[in-house]
Amino acid sequence: MKVRSKLARRLENFACFAPGIAALVFAILALMLPMLHARAAGTDAIDGAPQVIRIGAGQPYSFAVYANYNLQQLPSHVVRAVVFVHGVKRNADDYFQIGLHLLKTAQFSAADTLLVAPNFMVQADRGSSSAMPLWSGRTWMQGEASERGVDGVTSFQALDDIVHYLADRQRFPDLKEIVMIGHSAGAQLMQRYAVVNELDGPLQQAGIAVRYVISSPSSYLYFEASRPDGDGFSLPKSIICPGYDNYRYGIGNAPDYLKRQNLDGEQLFRRYAGRNITYMVGARDDNPNHRYLDKACGAAMQGATRVERQLNFVRYERFLSDQWQIPVKHPEFQVKGAAHEADKLFRSEDTVRRIFPQQ
């Protein structure tokens, strides 16, 4: 407040000579002070540019993220981190803004909740560099390895490294929860990450709870060869799609990240069933010809639309629960009035209540 009173005194003197100009300066100052205060508080309200963090244990690499806190001002005393993964357009800046609104509606601030929107980049993206892992096209959403820049980093490993960064008690000593959200292409990555990652258990032991929010993916990772068949599930009778149960629709021909764990479908499902997972989709996301809907035969066997595929997968979980005697309770909901629109989905007050039910 000392800065403000000093400026005010100077402007009051100046106003005696140029009242019109002084009034204009006062108006500009009124707009700038909240931004200056935000900088002082450590929030990333500076210019909307991404921050670059160094992650990775063995061979650290750079990664671009949008965050509501200046990540150079550590340690931080946030208790909750929200990781929000973008869709196919790799527009993490837009998802960061949507995430800010989500936290505002939930009445969270940068003082207690860190929002991180990672940007999985290709070489042509603005801000990319040779010090970052860079993917080819849409391979990042499948958990595949980067091909340029720092190559050989899978998007699963990148998520692991981001989680390790957040779980570092020297950076975030008070962190108690990580909420991992993915929408559309980001949800395809996130649902598979929720299946394959090995960090959930160790984080729980360290006092950090992990939750996953899977929003409107085009497809899901199934745990064995059955697929929806009327009201039930059975082995497909057609041979039109012989690779339907291979990764990324099933666990056949699994990527090395998963293969090295040496787990079968039942073991994977047991682990997955014990994780805190919520599915969501727009109630109007029912267009079988949507331009970004996966229409490959392996995806089409899961249902005609994103709404149908979500409902089928939740039924599939119950089918496996009965078959393998593994309890599972993963809630799902549909956002009324929304189609395949991240902005509308996450601006819904119902979505906020579902994602942050204690608030």
Side-chain angles (χ1 to χ4, degrees):
M1 296 302 295
K2 291 181 179 179
V3 172
R4 184 177 183 180
S5 59
K6 186 176 180 180
L7 286 173
R9 286 196 301 271
R10 290 182 178 179
L11 288 170
E12 285 170 1
N13 293 333
F14 182 62
C16 297
F17 300 97
I21 296 176
L24 177 61
V25 173
F26 269 120
I28 294 173
L29 181 62
L31 291 173
M32 291 181 63
L33 282 172
M35 296 174 63
L36 295 172
H37 178 71
R39 289 191 192 191
T43 58
D44 184 37
I46 300 172
D47 57 7
Q51 302 182 48
V52 177
I53 58 175
R54 294 285 289 176
I55 56 176
Q59 296 181 324
Y61 55 89
S62 298
F63 207 94
V65 302
Y66 291 82
N68 64 335
Y69 194 93
N70 187 337
L71 296 175
Q72 305 307 314
Q73 296 182 2
L74 299 173
S76 166
H77 300 291
V78 299
V79 297
R80 178 188 303 102
V82 177
V83 179
F84 198 175
V85 180
H86 55 73
V88 69
K89 297 179 181 179
R90 304 182 305 280
N91 50 335
D93 53 344
D94 293 333
Y95 279 76
F96 176 64
Q97 294 300 323
I98 295 169
L100 285 177
H101 189 275
L102 178 71
L103 298 190
K104 181 179 179 181
T105 305
Q107 299 183 345
F108 296 147
S109 71
D112 56 31
T113 301
L114 172 67
L115 172 65
V116 176
N119 210 159
F120 290 88
M121 291 190 176
V122 303
Q123 191 172 33
D125 288 341
R126 186 178 64 177
S128 68
S129 82
S130 59
M132 301 175 178
L134 304 173
W135 283 264
S136 175
R138 303 180 182 183
T139 57
W140 63 270
M141 75 174 72
Q142 303 170 23
E144 293 189 19
S146 57
E147 300 175 6
R148 295 194 172 103
V150 181
D151 62 1
V153 179
T154 71
S155 45
F156 292 147
Q157 184 61 53
L159 287 177
D160 276 353
D161 291 338
I162 290 170
V163 170
H164 280 302
Y165 179 92
L166 297 172
D168 185 342
R169 289 302 189 189
Q170 292 186 336
R171 291 190 180 94
F172 304 102
D174 303 325
L175 190 70
K176 293 181 173 61
E177 179 183 49
I178 301 175
V179 183
M180 308 283 286
I181 305 174
H183 173 71
S184 192
Q188 292 190 60
L189 174 64
M190 193 62 71
Q191 192 267 335
R192 287 154 180 84
Y193 183 69
V195 173
V196 304
N197 84 77
E198 300 180 274
L199 297 185
D200 207 290
L203 286 170
Q204 296 278 356
Q205 294 175 4
I208 301 175
V210 184
R211 296 194 287 121
Y212 305 89
V213 179
I214 314 298
S215 171
S216 318
S218 264
S219 65
Y220 299 79
L221 184 65
Y222 276 57
F223 296 89
E224 47 80 80
S226 299
R227 292 296 184 271
D229 183 12
D231 294 332
F233 295 84
S234 66
L235 297 178
K237 302 176 180 64
S238 172
I239 60 171
I240 295 176
C241 191
Y244 80 95
D245 198 38
N246 285 338
Y247 187 83
R248 58 194 165 106
Y249 308 112
I251 61 172
N253 196 25
D256 289 341
Y257 182 100
L258 176 57
K259 191 180 298 182
R260 67 171 182 253
Q261 298 176 39
N262 198 29
L263 300 175
D264 62 23
E266 183 174 344
Q267 291 169 316
L268 277 174
F269 180 70
R270 186 178 299 277
R271 185 174 70 181
Y272 184 76
R275 294 182 168 176
N276 190 329
I277 297 168
T278 299
Y279 305 106
M280 59 179 282
V281 67
R284 294 177 50 243
D285 200 349
D286 55 1
N287 179 4
N289 299 310
H290 190 277
R291 61 180 298 194
Y292 292 126
L293 180 68
D294 188 345
K295 301 176 182 66
C297 62
M301 291 176 71
Q302 300 180 11
T305 68
R306 291 188 185 87
V307 171
E308 187 176 322
R309 292 175 190 182
Q310 174 170 298
L311 294 175
N312 280 342
F313 191 76
V314 172
R315 288 196 306 113
Y316 176 67
E317 288 189 336
R318 293 196 294 266
F319 166 75
L320 292 184
S321 176
D322 292 341
Q323 178 173 291
W324 289 333
Q325 296 300 293
I326 299 173
V328 61
K329 187 178 181 181
H330 294 158
E332 68 88 21
F333 68 99
Q334 298 175 39
V335 181
K336 294 180 180 178
H340 197 63
E341 309 155 290
D343 187 67
K344 199 164 188 177
L345 286 167
F346 289 95
R347 287 180 182 269
S348 163
E349 292 187 3
D350 185 43
T351 297
V352 177
R353 286 192 296 268
R354 302 271 194 158
I355 295 178
F356 304 112
Q358 290 82 24
Q359 303 309 310

